[in-house]
Amino acid sequence: MKEAIVHKGPRVEIRDTPIPEPKAGQVVIKVAVSGSNPKDWKVPEWMPDSPPLNQGDDIAGTIHAVGEGVTEFRKGDRVAAFHEMMQPGGSYAEYAVAWAHTTFFLPAKTSFEEGAAIPLAAMTAAVGLYAADRLNLPQPWSPASHPIPLVVYGASSSVGSYVLQLAQRSNIHPLICVAGRAQAHVEKLIDRSKGDTIIDYRKGDEAVVQGIKDALKAAGGLKLEHAYDAVSEAPTYQNIAHAIDTSSGKITLVLPPPGGDWGAKFPGVAEGITTSTTNVGSVHNNLKDLGYVYFRYFTRGLEEGWFKAQPQEVVPGGLGGVQSALEKLKDGSASAVKYVFRIGETEGVGK
């Protein structure tokens, strides 16, 4: 099969490799469409001494084979899945590997392109919002009964967009959304009648902090205790820290503190503010149950129509387009879009 290996740069090399076999509890998926994420170019730079890997983690396609003990899925089922990061069998290939508990059905009305835009980013949103050691907010099936302000920094990003959709389902309002040129996208995901608002970060840091405080004042002087930072690069968390309660505030972030020390404090954040890093890979470790439940909840949301995939842009050339897409993710030109690849367009596939 054809498989794309991501090197530092990013530089992408397409190789011929064997079709993987599933272990117990795993499925092998014939990939129709693969999605991309910023980590796909970042990891080779963070870990330059590690062997280069197929960094794709967002899979959409059909079940090809199931491992021992897998009873939920059968060959030919339409699915999407979250591949275990930093392991063989990624989604930048004709066939990919996923654990059954991080695989979920795609309704007939959901395209493979949409499916490939969901797994990693949507689960990152769910882990940050609901895990007990992150924001620990009310679950969608037990929604909030009183106002709970939530700042979402990077609201138009894939993670931020899924945070907004899940928070709406949990009746978390007002949603105080920090975004830039993609505000029209964010507007579709919020409810102004419940106090939700958008703050333009392009107006400067002081305007962001004041905008958050003004939104809280307009909501009756509510105290800010929860923030989801889907950008996590200074000054985003520092701006949040100037508006959140300094004794009970919680900020969850998608990147570690500067320098990569996961246990360090974020500079400019008061000691009384709790910070956590939301690592979606935890659904392959200590948060397996949360991953299992929420991936199946995504299927229900797609069926019912309240949960929608981040808009996609199909990059031509299949795996041959991965490098150009990762370059765009690196230079920051992507906005409110998921780059996805139709594997069948790859040169040499099927020959």
Side-chain angles (χ1 to χ4, degrees), residues 66 80 107 147 189 213 314:
V66 301
L189 303 175
K213 291 180 178 179
V314 178

Side-chain angles (χ1 to χ4, degrees), residues 104 118 122-123 126 166 294-302 307:
F104 60 105
I118 294 171
M123 187 53 64
L166 291 170
Y294 270 96
F295 275 126
R296 280 137 192 84
Y297 194 58
F298 296 161
T299 297
R300 180 179 178 185
L302 292 167
F307 186 72

Side-chain angles (χ1 to χ4, degrees), residues 3-351:
E3 181 175 26
I5 306 299
V6 182
H7 298 258
K8 182 180 177 181
R11 179 177 65 85
V12 175
E13 171 195 7
I14 298 178
R15 300 176 180 174
D16 289 305
T17 59
I19 296 174
E21 297 287 338
K23 298 177 182 178
Q26 291 183 334
V27 298
V28 171
I29 299 166
K30 180 175 174 57
V31 186
V33 181
S34 170
S36 59
N37 293 283
K39 64 146 281 285
D40 301 348
W41 70 263
K42 291 179 179 179
V43 168
E45 297 202 358
W46 290 340
M47 307 173 66
D49 297 328
S50 298
L53 284 172
N54 170 350
Q55 289 289 345
D57 295 318
D58 284 333
I59 310 166
T62 54
I63 296 290
H64 170 71
V66 301
E68 181 183 352
V70 176
T71 58
E72 188 175 1
F73 303 103
R74 293 180 174 81
K75 187 171 183 176
D77 286 343
R78 297 179 79 254
V79 297
F82 173 40
H83 164 260
E84 184 174 4
M85 296 185 295
M86 304 304 298
Q87 296 298 316
S91 66
Y92 292 154
E94 291 183 67
Y95 295 86
V97 177
W99 292 96
H101 79 277
T102 58
T103 302
F104 60 105
F105 289 107
L106 289 180
K109 65 182 179 181
T110 303
S111 69
F112 287 131
E113 288 79 9
E114 291 170 316
I118 294 171
L120 184 150
M123 187 53 64
T124 303
V127 170
L129 286 172
Y130 302 120
D133 57 351
R134 272 74 168 199
L135 296 184
N136 196 25
L137 286 163
Q139 308 285 346
W141 42 85
S142 184
S145 57
H146 61 277
I148 301 177
L150 173 67
V151 166
V152 183
Y153 220 116
S156 68
S157 69
S158 293
V159 172
S161 297
Y162 293 124
V163 168
L164 296 181
Q165 293 186 63
L166 291 170
Q168 288 269 20
R169 197 70 178 170
S170 290
N171 195 34
I172 296 168
H173 298 283
L175 295 171
I176 304 170
C177 309
V178 183
R181 64 184 184 271
Q183 292 181 43
H185 170 66
V186 176
E187 198 71 53
K188 300 173 186 176
L189 303 175
I190 64 175
D191 187 345
R192 291 278 184 174
S193 72
K194 295 184 178 179
D196 298 350
T197 191
I198 302 174
I199 299 167
D200 192 337
Y201 70 81
R202 295 172 297 181
K203 294 181 178 179
D205 297 333
E206 290 185 8
V208 170
V209 175
Q210 190 60 49
I212 295 172
K213 291 180 178 179
D214 288 347
L216 295 168
K217 183 178 180 181
L222 294 172
K223 180 166 64 173
L224 178 64
E225 296 182 300
H226 301 90
Y228 198 122
D229 188 348
V231 179
S232 306
E233 294 178 340
T236 59
Y237 47 83
Q238 292 158 344
N239 289 342
I240 295 169
H242 287 307
I244 202 166
D245 189 270
T246 55
S247 61
S248 60
K250 296 180 182 179
I251 308 172
T252 197
L253 306 99
V254 295
L255 295 176
D261 182 357
W262 293 79
K265 286 290 290 184
F266 286 85
V269 177
E271 286 293 328
I273 299 170
T274 301
T275 58
S276 62
T277 302
T278 290
N279 182 352
V280 68
S282 57
V283 300
H284 286 119
N285 295 295
N286 61 310
L287 294 180
K288 288 182 179 179
D289 288 352
L290 186 150
Y292 176 90
V293 169
Y294 270 96
F295 275 126
R296 280 137 192 84
Y297 194 58
F298 296 161
T299 297
R300 180 179 178 185
L302 292 167
E303 289 172 341
E304 296 179 348
W306 57 262
F307 186 72
K308 299 183 186 300
Q310 180 79 338
Q312 313 94 53
E313 180 179 322
V314 178
V315 181
L319 297 176
V322 171
Q323 180 167 320
S324 66
L326 297 188
E327 289 170 349
K328 289 180 181 179
L329 289 174
K330 183 176 182 178
D331 67 24
S333 59
S335 177
V337 69
K338 265 282 193 178
Y339 294 126
V340 301
F341 317 94
R342 294 172 178 149
I343 304 303
E345 295 181 359
T346 306
E347 184 179 354
V349 163
K351 296 182 181 179

